[in-house]
Amino acid sequence: MDVSSATEAPAAPQLRERSDIPDRFKWNLEDIFHDWSEWQQAYDELEIKIGAYAALQGTLEKGADRLLAAMKLSDDIGQLTYKVWYFASLKHDEDQRDNQINARRQQVQILFAKASQASAWFNPELLAIPLPTIQQWMAADSELAVYRFALEDLYRQQEHVLDEKGEHLLSLSSRFSSSPNDAYAALSTADIKHPTIKLSTGPEVTLTYGQYRAILATNRNQGDRAAAFEAYHKVFAASVNTYASLYNGVLQRDWFHSQARGYGSTLDAALHGNAIPPAVVENLIQTTKGGTEPLRRYHRLRRRVLGLASYHTYDTAIPLVDYDRKYPYEDVLAWLPASVEPLGGEYQQRMREGLSSRWIDVYENPGKRSGAYSAPVYGVHPYMLLNHNDTLDAVFTLAHEMGHSMHTLLSNAHQPFVYAAYTIFVAEVPSTLSEALFLEHMLARATDERERIVLLTHAIDGIAGTFYTQVLFADYELQAHRLVESGQPITAEGLGEIYFELMKAYYGEALDYDEQSRLTWARIPHFYSTPYYVYQYATCFASSAQLMHQLTTGSAAERAAAIDRYLTLLKSGGSDHPMTLLQRAGVDLSKPEAVRAVVDQLDRLVTQLEDAIRNLTKARD
Ligand SMILES: [Zn+2]
């Protein structure tokens, strides 16, 4: 199959001034406050309440009513905080060049610092009261019993809190705990010397990370991609021992903190906060390693379709076909509620209401914050920031953020304030499920084989990137930390070997390997900034795949039960530990089924892609 030559990037569309964009495409922040004077009143009220909370110090031991008063005031402060913060923060994101609004936003941040000082007394004072006493109080007072999970979890967390002297010592160490990551950021960003390469078409390009990614994703000349890959990795090769030494700093710090707090391993320490059993991560890694065949099949297919004699990591991002259909926002609006039909009429109706009530800031304008997010403004409704540019990516971003927003909406409607927020461990379940449902809808309505190929590739790349790559990263982090835990040395060579072996375990014979891939670990920011974090994207993805399977297969009664369990999960917010909430929804991450659901999903998508490519080739013959 032939692939057309590289196309020129389309000229960036003219940016409209914010005032020229019709109101229906802009969020309406008046749902929070009418104007800045109303905001100022709320800000002043918040400041007074923070002062009142500080004055409660020393009262808890006097009884249940005092504890209840503190919990309620804390809720009041929290609720007001959402509105005061988001009004300033969302306004700021409309046009980040506005200094006055930025100053107000910073004013809220200063108040936050005061609030955290004003509430520092609470945990030690509570924990000085024996848990059975608190449990007696809760048994006798139904209003206080609402806080049972939150309070009991503070006692559970206390298991690894040290005495005052110990905590003081640890707090002194916190100043240099961030040094390895700060140094990594300086070395890889501020101090980096970007290399320059000459493209086959003549021009010289400076390889910033953005340029490098752009060449891999758009340049149809394999030699150019290879040159970019080589030059980009050379920069890391030049400082690889420094990177290894900085990463050793991260590993040693994690092990120090884990030992100081009495954890058996760095993994135990990382998982304790959300009460996740270590078996979840071990199962994730093992089951994924056993399910790499569809990933390899996808890359073998790519090699064939792209007509490449050798196929490298730098060939994995180039599109299989050129297809530049535009997806205007107003077309997509009708598809979105239609795509969530499997979740029931009420869910669809709520989504339609959101879409027509100015929750979304759709288009880019000068000074607007880039990217996309969903902001959970408690007591009002979720808001979404987009920079919709009519691309397929933008459409899936909308579906993704809508998943977060529906989660917020249902959680806020069904939980008391104290449990309205949900953890990252469940947060990416509804967003990825929303994308999966949207893909099904788009595939069903696609009439052009090329569009099907683009949709399927988008979904497959999503699974490769948010699932397989993240599990590979988690495996790497675990192995590296275990070296330190068992007293073994950390060297650039050793880290490179772990990474390279993992690549081979995942991609097998589907890739031709380059020695430079031994350096890839050195440039992954998450390894330095947030160890043991990325696996949560993978567990969310696995949960979502298993739920998707339950929601769309089986008898009508089974599907109805699955919908009910899923909506219950969304309505549960943060009212229990994430594993418990997911188990109730029918997902047990300590067992292989959820991960197998991802492997099966990928397998089906690759088969569909093979069919679409066969059809397209046939049509051409
Ligand atoms: Zn998300």
Side-chain angles (χ1 to χ4, degrees):
M1 197 174 96
D2 75 304
V3 174
S4 43
S5 61
T7 42
E8 289 276 298
Q14 194 80 39
L15 267 195
R16 271 186 293 181
E17 286 301 325
R18 191 168 178 82
S19 53
D20 293 336
I21 298 174
D23 279 348
R24 68 177 193 282
F25 300 119
K26 290 186 282 195
W27 56 28
N28 180 14
L29 300 185
E30 282 184 30
D31 290 346
I32 310 177
F33 294 121
H34 282 295
D35 51 28
W36 282 109
S37 92
E38 210 186 350
W39 174 83
Q40 187 62 53
Q41 272 174 27
Y43 181 97
D44 296 341
E45 193 188 331
L46 184 56
E47 196 160 23
I48 291 167
K49 287 188 174 187
I50 289 169
Y53 192 82
L56 294 181
Q57 181 165 8
T59 60
L60 291 193
E61 58 170 12
K62 290 179 191 149
D65 60 327
R66 296 294 82 207
L67 176 58
L68 181 61
M71 296 306 284
K72 282 186 157 177
L73 183 55
S74 167
D75 284 357
D76 278 357
I77 291 171
Q79 293 183 38
L80 203 51
T81 298
Y82 270 95
K83 293 166 96 177
V84 169
W85 164 251
Y86 276 116
F87 188 74
S89 166
L90 300 182
K91 275 267 184 228
H92 173 67
D93 287 347
E94 288 178 0
D95 185 353
Q96 298 188 324
R97 299 168 304 180
D98 190 320
N99 280 299
Q100 228 186 344
I101 293 175
N102 193 16
R104 285 178 169 136
R105 191 174 137 270
Q106 289 181 35
Q107 204 183 321
V108 188
Q109 286 171 326
I110 293 165
L111 191 58
F112 282 175
K114 267 194 207 163
S116 104
Q117 280 168 21
S119 59
W121 60 271
F122 181 85
N123 284 5
E125 199 172 309
L126 174 80
L127 297 172
I129 305 170
L131 178 59
T133 307
I134 302 290
Q135 282 166 333
Q136 276 169 16
W137 290 357
M138 290 192 290
D141 184 335
S142 62
E143 270 193 280
L144 190 60
V146 168
Y147 299 95
R148 180 181 305 279
F149 172 70
L151 292 171
E152 288 182 350
D153 202 51
L154 284 175
Y155 282 87
R156 184 187 68 85
Q157 306 266 8
Q158 196 204 13
E159 285 167 28
H160 295 277
V161 174
L162 307 183
D163 62 11
E164 209 182 320
K165 215 168 150 189
E167 284 298 320
H168 180 65
L169 199 59
L170 282 188
S171 75
L172 292 179
S173 79
S174 70
R175 296 269 172 96
F176 60 79
S177 282
S178 59
S179 292
N181 182 46
D182 294 345
Y184 162 79
L187 182 65
S188 65
T189 314
D191 290 347
I192 205 158
K193 307 267 181 299
H194 294 298
T196 306
I197 59 162
K198 199 170 160 67
L199 296 177
S200 56
T201 45
E204 286 208 347
V205 228
T206 303
L207 285 180
T208 58
Y209 182 67
Q211 266 299 342
Y212 169 64
R213 297 298 313 170
I215 289 176
L216 296 199
T218 61
N219 193 313
R220 294 232 171 252
N221 184 309
Q222 192 187 32
D224 285 345
R225 295 197 299 270
F229 177 80
E230 204 168 299
Y232 193 74
H233 281 82
K234 238 180 211 160
V235 178
F236 289 90
S239 311
V240 71
N241 294 305
T242 311
Y243 283 109
S245 173
L246 292 173
Y247 190 50
N248 190 24
V250 171
L251 301 171
Q252 299 291 352
R253 175 204 64 198
D254 290 352
W255 186 218
F256 161 70
H257 279 280
S258 306
Q259 292 181 98
R261 293 199 176 280
Y263 292 101
S265 71
T266 52
L267 185 65
D268 289 352
L271 301 183
H272 185 256
N274 276 329
I276 311 287
V280 167
V281 176
E282 281 149 12
N283 167 57
L284 176 74
I285 288 171
Q286 284 321 315
T287 315
T288 306
K289 250 188 194 157
T292 54
E293 180 46 31
L295 183 70
R296 296 178 186 191
R297 195 150 63 87
Y298 171 57
H299 286 292
R300 289 197 294 267
L301 175 68
R302 286 183 56 88
R303 179 197 291 252
R304 204 171 69 233
V305 173
L306 292 168
L308 296 172
S310 68
Y311 179 79
H312 303 257
T313 46
Y314 48 80
D315 299 319
T316 56
I318 198 83
L320 293 178
V321 291
D322 285 319
Y323 182 81
D324 62 351
R325 171 160 179 201
K326 293 286 170 239
Y327 297 91
Y329 179 74
E330 285 184 287
D331 293 355
V332 180
L333 274 191
W335 305 345
L336 211 53
S339 74
V340 295
E341 205 218 297
L343 297 180
E346 200 185 321
Y347 188 95
Q348 281 181 298
Q349 191 45 36
R350 282 191 177 225
M351 184 183 278
R352 278 198 200 96
E353 280 162 27
L355 289 169
S356 59
S357 306
R358 295 186 56 201
W359 292 4
I360 309 180
D361 210 68
V362 181
Y363 294 111
E364 197 181 359
N365 59 253
K368 181 170 162 177
R369 184 196 155 120
S370 60
Y373 62 70
S374 165
V377 188
Y378 188 87
V380 187
H381 53 70
Y383 281 92
M384 280 161 275
L385 179 135
L386 303 175
N387 280 279
H388 193 88
N389 57 2
D390 297 357
T391 59
L392 190 67
D393 274 348
V395 173
F396 277 96
T397 299
L398 171 62
H400 181 103
E401 299 308 334
M402 202 64 201
H404 284 311
S405 294
M406 292 301 292
H407 192 188
T408 297
L409 195 71
L410 291 173
S411 164
N412 287 2
H414 291 89
Q415 290 300 318
F417 175 77
V418 63
Y419 305 128
Y422 39 80
T423 64
I424 160 86
F425 203 85
V426 279
E428 297 300 339
V429 175
S431 54
T432 47
L433 191 107
S434 181
E435 283 193 69
L437 287 169
F438 196 69
L439 174 78
E440 289 303 320
H441 183 77
M442 295 278 282
L443 281 173
R445 59 188 312 291
T447 46
D448 180 339
E449 216 58 65
R450 280 176 176 261
E451 186 180 20
R452 290 178 60 78
I453 293 171
V454 170
L455 285 167
L456 291 163
T457 314
H458 178 94
I460 292 169
D461 288 340
I463 296 178
T466 37
F467 184 78
Y468 283 92
T469 304
Q470 305 308 329
V471 183
L472 188 156
F473 285 176
D475 198 341
Y476 169 83
E477 289 192 291
L478 189 58
Q479 290 191 44
H481 278 88
R482 281 184 175 163
L483 282 181
V484 163
E485 289 168 12
S486 57
Q488 296 183 60
I490 297 295
T491 62
E493 232 168 68
L495 294 173
E497 190 60 21
I498 294 176
Y499 198 87
F500 206 54
E501 285 306 313
L502 278 170
M503 295 256 322
K504 287 193 221 159
Y506 275 65
Y507 296 95
E509 81 311 337
L511 270 188
D512 292 304
Y513 295 93
D514 302 276
E515 282 299 303
Q516 287 93 336
S517 288
R518 291 181 188 276
L519 297 162
T520 303
W521 64 269
R523 64 171 180 81
I524 309 297
H526 275 122
F527 292 160
Y528 303 85
S529 63
T530 44
Y532 290 130
Y533 186 83
V534 294
Y535 82 92
Q536 299 179 104
Y537 294 117
T539 47
C540 282
F541 204 92
S543 308
S544 152
Q546 196 177 5
L547 289 165
M548 181 74 185
H549 181 73
Q550 294 169 0
L551 288 166
T552 53
T553 56
S555 69
E558 283 167 340
R559 286 203 306 274
I563 293 173
D564 197 51
R565 287 196 305 269
Y566 178 64
L567 295 181
T568 302
L569 172 70
L570 302 194
K571 291 171 187 169
S572 303
S575 57
D576 211 323
H577 291 129
M579 281 291 285
T580 311
L581 297 176
L582 286 168
Q583 256 155 6
R584 275 185 219 142
V587 177
D588 184 350
L589 287 166
S590 61
K591 304 231 164 72
E593 281 75 13
V595 173
R596 284 196 193 130
V598 184
V599 178
D600 292 347
Q601 198 181 52
L602 180 61
D603 194 58
R604 276 195 305 278
L605 290 168
V606 174
T607 303
Q608 283 177 281
L609 180 62
E610 284 167 345
D611 291 346
I613 286 170
R614 203 174 302 120
N615 292 342
L616 183 64
T617 319
K618 247 189 245 158
R620 280 190 184 152
D621 289 344

